[in-house]
Short mmCIF file of all heavy atoms in Angstrom, two decimals:
data_model
loop_
_atom_site.label_atom_id
_atom_site.label_comp_id
_atom_site.label_asym_id
_atom_site.label_seq_id
_atom_site.Cartn_x
_atom_site.Cartn_y
_atom_site.Cartn_z
N ILE A 1 -80.59 24.79 -22.18
CA ILE A 1 -81.51 24.64 -21.04
C ILE A 1 -82.91 24.23 -21.49
O ILE A 1 -83.44 23.21 -21.02
CB ILE A 1 -81.54 25.92 -20.18
CG1 ILE A 1 -80.21 26.07 -19.44
CG2 ILE A 1 -82.71 25.88 -19.18
CD1 ILE A 1 -80.10 27.33 -18.59
N PRO A 2 -83.56 24.97 -22.40
CA PRO A 2 -84.91 24.54 -22.83
C PRO A 2 -84.90 23.19 -23.53
O PRO A 2 -85.86 22.42 -23.40
CB PRO A 2 -85.36 25.66 -23.78
CG PRO A 2 -84.12 26.38 -24.17
CD PRO A 2 -83.19 26.26 -23.02
N SER A 3 -83.82 22.87 -24.26
CA SER A 3 -83.74 21.58 -24.95
C SER A 3 -83.68 20.43 -23.94
O SER A 3 -84.37 19.41 -24.09
CB SER A 3 -82.50 21.53 -25.85
OG SER A 3 -82.60 22.48 -26.89
N THR A 4 -82.86 20.59 -22.91
CA THR A 4 -82.73 19.55 -21.89
C THR A 4 -84.04 19.36 -21.14
O THR A 4 -84.48 18.23 -20.90
CB THR A 4 -81.61 19.92 -20.90
OG1 THR A 4 -80.40 20.17 -21.62
CG2 THR A 4 -81.38 18.80 -19.90
N ILE A 5 -84.67 20.45 -20.80
CA ILE A 5 -85.94 20.38 -20.07
C ILE A 5 -87.00 19.69 -20.92
O ILE A 5 -87.78 18.87 -20.42
CB ILE A 5 -86.39 21.80 -19.64
CG1 ILE A 5 -85.48 22.31 -18.52
CG2 ILE A 5 -87.86 21.80 -19.21
CD1 ILE A 5 -85.72 23.74 -18.11
N ARG A 6 -87.02 19.99 -22.22
CA ARG A 6 -88.00 19.34 -23.10
C ARG A 6 -87.79 17.83 -23.15
O ARG A 6 -88.74 17.05 -23.15
CB ARG A 6 -87.89 19.92 -24.51
CG ARG A 6 -88.99 19.39 -25.43
CD ARG A 6 -88.85 19.87 -26.84
NE ARG A 6 -89.95 19.38 -27.67
CZ ARG A 6 -89.92 19.31 -28.99
NH1 ARG A 6 -88.86 19.70 -29.64
NH2 ARG A 6 -90.95 18.86 -29.66
N ILE A 7 -86.55 17.39 -23.19
CA ILE A 7 -86.24 15.96 -23.24
C ILE A 7 -86.75 15.26 -21.98
O ILE A 7 -87.38 14.20 -22.04
CB ILE A 7 -84.73 15.73 -23.40
CG1 ILE A 7 -84.26 16.26 -24.76
CG2 ILE A 7 -84.38 14.24 -23.27
CD1 ILE A 7 -82.75 16.39 -24.89
N LEU A 8 -86.50 15.88 -20.83
CA LEU A 8 -86.93 15.26 -19.56
C LEU A 8 -88.44 15.29 -19.41
O LEU A 8 -89.03 14.38 -18.80
CB LEU A 8 -86.24 15.94 -18.37
CG LEU A 8 -84.93 15.26 -17.95
CD1 LEU A 8 -83.87 15.39 -19.04
CD2 LEU A 8 -84.41 15.83 -16.64
N GLN A 9 -89.07 16.32 -19.95
CA GLN A 9 -90.53 16.35 -19.93
C GLN A 9 -91.10 15.25 -20.81
O GLN A 9 -92.08 14.60 -20.45
CB GLN A 9 -91.02 17.73 -20.39
CG GLN A 9 -90.80 18.83 -19.37
CD GLN A 9 -91.14 20.21 -19.92
OE1 GLN A 9 -91.12 20.44 -21.14
NE2 GLN A 9 -91.46 21.14 -19.02
N GLU A 10 -90.50 15.03 -21.97
CA GLU A 10 -90.92 13.97 -22.88
C GLU A 10 -90.80 12.60 -22.19
O GLU A 10 -91.64 11.73 -22.36
CB GLU A 10 -90.04 14.01 -24.14
CG GLU A 10 -90.12 12.78 -25.03
CD GLU A 10 -91.43 12.67 -25.80
OE1 GLU A 10 -92.23 13.63 -25.76
OE2 GLU A 10 -91.65 11.62 -26.44
N ALA A 11 -89.73 12.44 -21.39
CA ALA A 11 -89.49 11.17 -20.69
C ALA A 11 -90.33 11.05 -19.43
O ALA A 11 -90.26 10.03 -18.74
CB ALA A 11 -88.01 11.05 -20.36
N LYS A 12 -91.11 12.11 -19.12
CA LYS A 12 -91.94 12.15 -17.91
C LYS A 12 -91.10 11.90 -16.66
O LYS A 12 -91.49 11.16 -15.74
CB LYS A 12 -93.09 11.14 -18.00
CG LYS A 12 -94.08 11.46 -19.12
CD LYS A 12 -95.20 10.45 -19.20
CE LYS A 12 -96.29 10.90 -20.17
NZ LYS A 12 -95.79 11.22 -21.52
N GLU A 13 -89.95 12.55 -16.63
CA GLU A 13 -89.03 12.40 -15.51
C GLU A 13 -89.40 13.36 -14.38
O GLU A 13 -89.91 14.47 -14.63
CB GLU A 13 -87.59 12.69 -15.98
CG GLU A 13 -86.53 12.59 -14.90
CD GLU A 13 -86.36 11.18 -14.38
OE1 GLU A 13 -87.28 10.68 -13.69
OE2 GLU A 13 -85.32 10.57 -14.64
N ASP A 14 -89.16 12.94 -13.15
CA ASP A 14 -89.34 13.79 -11.99
C ASP A 14 -88.05 14.58 -11.79
O ASP A 14 -87.06 14.04 -11.30
CB ASP A 14 -89.65 12.93 -10.76
CG ASP A 14 -89.76 13.76 -9.48
OD1 ASP A 14 -90.12 14.95 -9.57
OD2 ASP A 14 -89.44 13.23 -8.39
N PHE A 15 -88.04 15.85 -12.22
CA PHE A 15 -86.79 16.62 -12.19
C PHE A 15 -87.02 18.06 -11.75
O PHE A 15 -88.15 18.56 -11.74
CB PHE A 15 -86.15 16.62 -13.58
CG PHE A 15 -86.86 17.48 -14.59
CD1 PHE A 15 -86.44 18.78 -14.84
CD2 PHE A 15 -87.98 17.00 -15.29
CE1 PHE A 15 -87.09 19.58 -15.77
CE2 PHE A 15 -88.64 17.79 -16.22
CZ PHE A 15 -88.19 19.08 -16.46
N THR A 16 -85.93 18.69 -11.42
CA THR A 16 -85.96 20.11 -11.10
C THR A 16 -84.58 20.69 -11.36
O THR A 16 -83.67 19.99 -11.81
CB THR A 16 -86.39 20.36 -9.64
OG1 THR A 16 -86.65 21.76 -9.46
CG2 THR A 16 -85.32 19.92 -8.65
N ALA A 17 -84.43 21.99 -11.11
CA ALA A 17 -83.14 22.66 -11.25
C ALA A 17 -83.03 23.72 -10.17
O ALA A 17 -84.03 24.13 -9.58
CB ALA A 17 -83.02 23.30 -12.63
N LEU A 18 -81.82 24.18 -9.92
CA LEU A 18 -81.61 25.14 -8.83
C LEU A 18 -81.94 26.58 -9.22
O LEU A 18 -82.09 27.44 -8.36
CB LEU A 18 -80.15 25.08 -8.35
CG LEU A 18 -79.72 23.77 -7.69
CD1 LEU A 18 -78.22 23.80 -7.40
CD2 LEU A 18 -80.50 23.54 -6.40
N GLU A 19 -82.03 26.84 -10.52
CA GLU A 19 -82.31 28.19 -11.02
C GLU A 19 -81.37 29.22 -10.39
O GLU A 19 -80.16 29.10 -10.49
CB GLU A 19 -83.77 28.55 -10.75
CG GLU A 19 -84.76 27.86 -11.68
CD GLU A 19 -86.18 28.37 -11.47
OE1 GLU A 19 -86.53 28.74 -10.34
OE2 GLU A 19 -86.95 28.38 -12.45
N LEU A 20 -81.94 30.22 -9.70
CA LEU A 20 -81.12 31.31 -9.16
C LEU A 20 -80.21 30.86 -8.01
O LEU A 20 -79.25 31.56 -7.67
CB LEU A 20 -82.01 32.46 -8.67
CG LEU A 20 -82.84 33.16 -9.75
CD1 LEU A 20 -83.66 34.28 -9.15
CD2 LEU A 20 -81.94 33.71 -10.86
N GLU A 21 -80.51 29.70 -7.44
CA GLU A 21 -79.67 29.20 -6.35
C GLU A 21 -78.46 28.43 -6.85
O GLU A 21 -77.61 28.03 -6.07
CB GLU A 21 -80.49 28.32 -5.40
CG GLU A 21 -81.44 29.12 -4.53
CD GLU A 21 -82.10 28.26 -3.46
OE1 GLU A 21 -81.50 27.24 -3.06
OE2 GLU A 21 -83.22 28.60 -3.04
N GLU A 22 -78.41 28.22 -8.17
CA GLU A 22 -77.23 27.54 -8.73
C GLU A 22 -76.03 28.47 -8.60
O GLU A 22 -76.13 29.69 -8.85
CB GLU A 22 -77.48 27.17 -10.19
CG GLU A 22 -76.40 26.29 -10.78
CD GLU A 22 -76.72 25.83 -12.20
OE1 GLU A 22 -77.66 25.03 -12.36
OE2 GLU A 22 -76.03 26.29 -13.12
N PHE A 23 -74.89 27.91 -8.24
CA PHE A 23 -73.66 28.68 -8.02
C PHE A 23 -72.56 28.02 -8.85
O PHE A 23 -72.59 26.82 -9.09
CB PHE A 23 -73.30 28.64 -6.53
CG PHE A 23 -72.31 29.68 -6.10
CD1 PHE A 23 -72.75 30.95 -5.76
CD2 PHE A 23 -70.95 29.40 -6.01
CE1 PHE A 23 -71.85 31.93 -5.33
CE2 PHE A 23 -70.04 30.35 -5.59
CZ PHE A 23 -70.49 31.63 -5.25
N CYS A 24 -71.60 28.80 -9.30
CA CYS A 24 -70.49 28.25 -10.08
C CYS A 24 -69.91 27.00 -9.40
O CYS A 24 -69.67 27.00 -8.19
CB CYS A 24 -69.40 29.30 -10.24
SG CYS A 24 -67.94 28.72 -11.14
N CYS A 25 -69.68 25.95 -10.18
CA CYS A 25 -69.14 24.70 -9.62
C CYS A 25 -67.72 24.90 -9.11
O CYS A 25 -67.22 24.09 -8.32
CB CYS A 25 -69.19 23.59 -10.66
SG CYS A 25 -68.01 23.79 -12.02
N GLY A 26 -67.04 25.94 -9.59
CA GLY A 26 -65.69 26.23 -9.12
C GLY A 26 -64.59 25.74 -10.03
O GLY A 26 -63.40 25.92 -9.73
N TYR A 27 -64.97 25.14 -11.16
CA TYR A 27 -63.96 24.54 -12.04
C TYR A 27 -62.93 25.56 -12.51
O TYR A 27 -61.73 25.29 -12.52
CB TYR A 27 -64.66 23.89 -13.24
CG TYR A 27 -63.76 23.03 -14.10
CD1 TYR A 27 -62.80 22.19 -13.54
CD2 TYR A 27 -63.88 23.04 -15.49
CE1 TYR A 27 -61.99 21.40 -14.33
CE2 TYR A 27 -63.08 22.23 -16.29
CZ TYR A 27 -62.13 21.41 -15.71
OH TYR A 27 -61.34 20.61 -16.50
N VAL A 28 -63.38 26.74 -12.89
CA VAL A 28 -62.44 27.75 -13.39
C VAL A 28 -61.47 28.17 -12.29
O VAL A 28 -60.28 28.41 -12.56
CB VAL A 28 -63.19 28.97 -13.98
CG1 VAL A 28 -63.93 29.75 -12.89
CG2 VAL A 28 -62.22 29.90 -14.69
N ALA A 29 -61.93 28.23 -11.04
CA ALA A 29 -61.04 28.56 -9.93
C ALA A 29 -59.97 27.49 -9.78
O ALA A 29 -58.79 27.78 -9.57
CB ALA A 29 -61.85 28.70 -8.64
N HIS A 30 -60.38 26.24 -9.90
CA HIS A 30 -59.44 25.12 -9.82
C HIS A 30 -58.43 25.19 -10.96
O HIS A 30 -57.22 24.99 -10.75
CB HIS A 30 -60.21 23.80 -9.88
CG HIS A 30 -59.35 22.60 -10.04
ND1 HIS A 30 -58.59 22.07 -9.03
CD2 HIS A 30 -59.13 21.79 -11.14
CE1 HIS A 30 -57.94 21.00 -9.47
NE2 HIS A 30 -58.24 20.82 -10.74
N LEU A 31 -58.89 25.49 -12.15
CA LEU A 31 -58.01 25.51 -13.33
C LEU A 31 -56.93 26.58 -13.23
O LEU A 31 -55.82 26.39 -13.74
CB LEU A 31 -58.84 25.74 -14.59
CG LEU A 31 -59.77 24.61 -15.03
CD1 LEU A 31 -60.55 25.03 -16.27
CD2 LEU A 31 -58.98 23.33 -15.31
N VAL A 32 -57.24 27.71 -12.60
CA VAL A 32 -56.25 28.79 -12.53
C VAL A 32 -55.45 28.75 -11.23
O VAL A 32 -54.61 29.60 -10.99
CB VAL A 32 -56.91 30.18 -12.71
CG1 VAL A 32 -57.65 30.24 -14.04
CG2 VAL A 32 -57.83 30.52 -11.55
N GLY A 33 -55.71 27.74 -10.38
CA GLY A 33 -54.90 27.55 -9.18
C GLY A 33 -55.46 28.15 -7.90
O GLY A 33 -54.81 28.09 -6.86
N ALA A 34 -56.68 28.70 -7.96
CA ALA A 34 -57.28 29.33 -6.78
C ALA A 34 -58.05 28.29 -5.97
O ALA A 34 -59.29 28.27 -5.97
CB ALA A 34 -58.18 30.49 -7.19
N GLU A 35 -57.34 27.41 -5.30
CA GLU A 35 -57.96 26.28 -4.62
C GLU A 35 -58.86 26.68 -3.45
O GLU A 35 -59.86 26.01 -3.18
CB GLU A 35 -56.89 25.29 -4.15
CG GLU A 35 -56.25 24.50 -5.28
CD GLU A 35 -57.27 23.67 -6.07
OE1 GLU A 35 -58.05 22.92 -5.45
OE2 GLU A 35 -57.30 23.80 -7.31
N ASP A 36 -58.52 27.72 -2.73
CA ASP A 36 -59.37 28.17 -1.62
C ASP A 36 -60.73 28.62 -2.14
O ASP A 36 -61.77 28.33 -1.53
CB ASP A 36 -58.70 29.31 -0.84
CG ASP A 36 -57.51 28.83 -0.03
OD1 ASP A 36 -57.41 27.60 0.22
OD2 ASP A 36 -56.68 29.67 0.37
N ASP A 37 -60.73 29.32 -3.26
CA ASP A 37 -61.99 29.76 -3.88
C ASP A 37 -62.77 28.57 -4.40
O ASP A 37 -64.01 28.53 -4.31
CB ASP A 37 -61.70 30.74 -5.02
CG ASP A 37 -61.04 32.01 -4.53
OD1 ASP A 37 -61.76 32.89 -4.04
OD2 ASP A 37 -59.81 32.11 -4.62
N PHE A 38 -62.06 27.58 -4.93
CA PHE A 38 -62.71 26.36 -5.41
C PHE A 38 -63.43 25.65 -4.26
O PHE A 38 -64.57 25.20 -4.40
CB PHE A 38 -61.68 25.43 -6.05
CG PHE A 38 -62.23 24.05 -6.34
CD1 PHE A 38 -63.16 23.86 -7.37
CD2 PHE A 38 -61.85 22.96 -5.58
CE1 PHE A 38 -63.68 22.60 -7.63
CE2 PHE A 38 -62.37 21.70 -5.84
CZ PHE A 38 -63.28 21.52 -6.87
N LYS A 39 -62.78 25.57 -3.12
CA LYS A 39 -63.37 24.89 -1.96
C LYS A 39 -64.64 25.61 -1.49
O LYS A 39 -65.60 24.97 -1.06
CB LYS A 39 -62.35 24.80 -0.83
CG LYS A 39 -61.24 23.80 -1.10
CD LYS A 39 -60.16 23.86 -0.04
CE LYS A 39 -59.00 22.91 -0.39
NZ LYS A 39 -57.88 23.04 0.56
N ARG A 40 -64.64 26.94 -1.58
CA ARG A 40 -65.84 27.69 -1.18
C ARG A 40 -67.01 27.39 -2.14
O ARG A 40 -68.16 27.27 -1.71
CB ARG A 40 -65.54 29.19 -1.15
CG ARG A 40 -64.77 29.63 0.09
CD ARG A 40 -64.79 31.14 0.25
NE ARG A 40 -63.90 31.79 -0.69
CZ ARG A 40 -62.60 32.02 -0.47
NH1 ARG A 40 -62.06 31.61 0.67
NH2 ARG A 40 -61.86 32.63 -1.37
N CYS A 41 -66.70 27.29 -3.41
CA CYS A 41 -67.74 26.91 -4.39
C CYS A 41 -68.29 25.53 -4.06
O CYS A 41 -69.51 25.30 -4.13
CB CYS A 41 -67.17 26.92 -5.80
SG CYS A 41 -66.73 28.54 -6.44
N GLN A 42 -67.42 24.62 -3.75
CA GLN A 42 -67.81 23.26 -3.43
C GLN A 42 -68.75 23.22 -2.23
O GLN A 42 -69.80 22.58 -2.27
CB GLN A 42 -66.57 22.42 -3.14
CG GLN A 42 -66.87 20.99 -2.72
CD GLN A 42 -65.59 20.18 -2.49
OE1 GLN A 42 -64.76 20.09 -3.37
NE2 GLN A 42 -65.44 19.61 -1.33
N GLU A 43 -68.39 23.92 -1.19
CA GLU A 43 -69.21 23.95 0.03
C GLU A 43 -70.60 24.52 -0.25
O GLU A 43 -71.61 24.00 0.23
CB GLU A 43 -68.50 24.76 1.11
CG GLU A 43 -67.25 24.07 1.67
CD GLU A 43 -66.39 25.01 2.49
OE1 GLU A 43 -66.78 26.20 2.65
OE2 GLU A 43 -65.32 24.58 2.96
N LYS A 44 -70.64 25.60 -1.04
CA LYS A 44 -71.93 26.25 -1.33
C LYS A 44 -72.82 25.33 -2.16
O LYS A 44 -74.02 25.21 -1.89
CB LYS A 44 -71.67 27.57 -2.06
CG LYS A 44 -72.89 28.47 -2.12
CD LYS A 44 -72.51 29.85 -2.61
CE LYS A 44 -73.70 30.80 -2.56
NZ LYS A 44 -74.13 31.10 -1.19
N ASN A 45 -72.25 24.66 -3.15
CA ASN A 45 -73.05 23.78 -4.01
C ASN A 45 -73.53 22.54 -3.28
O ASN A 45 -74.66 22.10 -3.48
CB ASN A 45 -72.23 23.38 -5.25
CG ASN A 45 -72.28 24.44 -6.33
OD1 ASN A 45 -73.34 24.88 -6.74
ND2 ASN A 45 -71.11 24.88 -6.77
N ILE A 46 -72.68 21.97 -2.46
CA ILE A 46 -73.07 20.78 -1.70
C ILE A 46 -74.28 21.10 -0.83
O ILE A 46 -75.21 20.30 -0.72
CB ILE A 46 -71.89 20.26 -0.85
CG1 ILE A 46 -70.84 19.63 -1.76
CG2 ILE A 46 -72.37 19.24 0.18
CD1 ILE A 46 -69.56 19.28 -1.05
N SER A 47 -74.27 22.28 -0.23
CA SER A 47 -75.38 22.70 0.62
C SER A 47 -76.68 22.81 -0.18
O SER A 47 -77.73 22.31 0.25
CB SER A 47 -75.05 24.05 1.28
OG SER A 47 -76.15 24.53 2.01
N SER A 48 -76.63 23.44 -1.35
CA SER A 48 -77.83 23.63 -2.18
C SER A 48 -78.34 22.32 -2.77
O SER A 48 -79.54 22.05 -2.79
CB SER A 48 -77.53 24.62 -3.32
OG SER A 48 -77.15 25.87 -2.83
#
């Protein structure tokens, strides 16, 4: 995280991050077959 932020600061990029509002992308739910849980992660992230 600090390494990535430093690179973007060096590039003078206009950037931000979700911090505490970031939610699991749902990949692990998809990998283990819990598709309903994956869809809920998707909906929450799309909103944020």
Side-chain angles (χ1 to χ4, degrees):
I1 290 178
S3 296
T4 305
I5 289 174
R6 186 184 182 200
I7 295 166
L8 268 66
Q9 287 174 336
E10 166 72 8
K12 296 180 171 54
E13 179 66 290
D14 176 28
F15 72 96
T16 191
L18 294 174
E19 285 186 329
L20 296 181
E21 287 188 27
E22 189 175 292
F23 197 85
C24 178
C25 71
Y27 190 40
V28 67
H30 170 75
L31 291 178
V32 303
E35 287 301 309
D36 289 342
D37 296 279
F38 170 71
K39 288 173 184 174
R40 282 194 285 272
C41 292
Q42 177 178 305
E43 290 167 1
K44 194 169 185 68
N45 278 307
I46 288 171
S47 175
S48 299

